[in-house]
Amino acid sequence: MAAPSPGPREVGADPREDRRRRGCGAGAGLSSPLRAVRTHPHPCPGGVLHWAGTRTRPTREPQVLAPSPEAGRRVATSSSSRGGLLWRLRDKQPRLGLFEIGPGHELHRLTCMMQAGLWAATQVSIDYPLLGFELGTLAGPAFAWLRHSLGLAEKDYQASLGPGRPYLQFLGTSKSKASFFLSHDQRFFLKTQRHKEVRALLAHLPRYMQHLRRHPHSLLARLLGVHSLRVARGKKKYFIIMQSVFYPASHISERYDIKGCEVSRWVDPAPEGSPVILVLKDLNFQGKTIYLGPQRSWLLRQMELDTAFLRELNVLDYSLLVAFHCLHKDERGPGSSLVLRTARSVQGVQSQDEPGAQNRRLLPEAPNALHILDGPEQRYFLGLVDLATVYGLRKRLEYLWKTLRYPGRTFSTVSPGRYARRLYQWVEAHTE
């Protein structure tokens, strides 16, 4: 197994006090702005930009996109972020249970820095220095390839993640201490990670990329970036960026996080008429079936391939995300755009007689097609997420404790082989 890449070289910040007080500002209004330039024409491992202390000229490459004109206005330190409980959550997506992270939210400053840092990390040159924090990019070339393989333009990626509009807070039902965010267009999902989880992701990255090359229609979540963030001399925070499985979200009616077990797998649904839609769990799914028709055989084969791969990585506790979208009558049956599809892969158009070893399928003509599977009456969003929990000593001890604590019941902490087999069996039992 490949070893993790060495620690990242960070995107530096000017430490002077007169600038530190600006918090996560993007440097608007400086009388003599510094210019950051890329020291290599392509993303380099462990870093993208290096800050120079004097004026420098841009490299030969053209500028990808100018800094946001709103960066100086929107990326500002919140004076009320110390209020703790005095959050002001503005519900901008009432049907989805998403809340705009406004200036009064305790996570506002963190997300402002994430936006400003990601804006800089995807540019060739920038006219404004980042102030008061450092952002590092890990395994940059690998993730650049993954974005390219999805046909994702860097300008679109930057526009979704950079300053301009605040991130949305995702009200997850997970018991982890991670924070979850969505880009304002809900296209990208951001999650904070522990250092050991990041090490595991980077160690598995070469095999992850190889699996996606072999099986381009895999259900594995598409990781698009791994970054570190340090404020002043504080402790580093790590976060990942991935393509959201639940996109586009406008017509999704139900969402589930499935692990194939029963302990702690129930969520109290939102009251009837409530605008908030929660991500439910296994026990909430009882009595439901995923009707796929001819697509079922493809799904079972892909689940077999993907869970076997995760078993080989010695990981567990991943989830199968499932969402429902009821198709309108004019979207069903022969002649609809959802049935008469073109055969294509993430790299481009493919012939329909491609070798079956890669388990390709006909992708729908829709955004996020890799995570969409259409049945006769429902559109389903499916994806495997949370791929960084290794079955080490701590998890083995947790398994022994839960065996005594929950005799005769199923729980998430089991060996990777058993976990993979059980999740596959859940899909087999709940599809037709």
Side-chain angles (χ1 to χ4, degrees), residues 1 196-197 199-205 207-208 220 259 305-319 384-392 395-396 412-423:
M1 180 177 295
K196 68 176 184 179
E197 294 172 330
R199 288 201 311 266
L201 281 175
L202 295 179
H204 298 155
L205 186 57
R207 296 176 68 181
Y208 170 81
L220 298 182
K259 293 182 182 290
L305 292 168
D306 288 337
T307 55
F309 168 71
L310 294 173
R311 181 185 67 236
E312 292 171 2
L313 295 185
N314 199 38
V315 300
L316 71 157
D317 215 22
Y318 44 90
S319 297
L384 290 164
V385 300
D386 297 336
L387 314 177
T389 303
V390 176
Y391 192 56
K395 286 295 178 182
R396 294 172 190 270
S412 63
T413 310
V414 294
S415 68
R418 185 176 174 185
Y419 194 97
R421 182 171 59 255
R422 189 175 63 189
L423 188 57

Side-chain angles (χ1 to χ4, degrees), residues 101-230:
I101 301 177
H105 197 293
E106 72 164 5
L107 297 174
H108 180 248
R109 188 181 181 211
L110 172 65
T111 57
C112 282
M113 290 185 288
M114 291 167 67
Q115 287 182 313
L118 290 171
W119 184 273
T122 51
Q123 289 194 114
V124 172
S125 64
I126 183 173
D127 285 324
Y128 301 104
L130 305 179
L131 304 177
F133 68 94
E134 300 172 350
L135 182 132
T137 298
L138 288 72
F143 292 113
W145 177 86
L146 287 168
R147 295 194 296 269
H148 176 73
S149 73
L150 294 171
L152 177 59
E154 291 296 301
K155 282 187 178 182
D156 293 339
Y157 184 66
Q158 183 191 59
S160 290
L161 294 170
R165 294 181 62 184
Y167 288 162
L168 303 173
Q169 183 185 25
F170 179 74
L171 299 182
T173 53
S174 170
K175 291 188 174 181
S176 74
K177 297 180 180 179
S179 297
F180 305 88
F181 311 107
L182 284 170
S183 59
H184 65 83
D185 56 6
Q186 301 182 42
R187 189 176 179 184
F188 303 111
F189 184 86
L190 300 91
K191 179 184 177 182
T192 58
Q193 298 265 240
R194 291 176 295 177
H195 187 208
K196 68 176 184 179
E197 294 172 330
V198 169
R199 288 201 311 266
L201 281 175
L202 295 179
H204 298 155
L205 186 57
R207 296 176 68 181
Y208 170 81
M209 294 175 65
Q210 185 181 49
H211 182 78
L212 294 184
R213 287 191 180 102
R214 288 177 177 173
H215 307 288
H217 295 172
S218 168
L219 293 168
L220 298 182
R222 296 317 194 257
L223 297 174
L224 305 177
V226 177
H227 299 274
S228 65
L229 179 68
R230 190 207 304 267

Side-chain angles (χ1 to χ4, degrees), residues 275-326:
V276 175
I277 294 179
L278 299 174
V279 177
L280 305 177
K281 297 184 179 181
D282 300 62
L283 296 181
N284 301 97
F285 201 91
Q286 288 183 351
K288 297 182 180 294
T289 301
I290 300 172
Y291 294 101
L292 294 172
Q295 299 266 39
R296 180 175 183 265
S297 59
W298 176 87
L299 176 62
L300 292 178
R301 175 58 178 157
Q302 194 58 56
M303 280 294 299
E304 183 181 21
L305 292 168
D306 288 337
T307 55
F309 168 71
L310 294 173
R311 181 185 67 236
E312 292 171 2
L313 295 185
N314 199 38
V315 300
L316 71 157
D317 215 22
Y318 44 90
S319 297
L320 175 66
L321 297 185
V322 181
F324 292 76
H325 164 198
C326 186

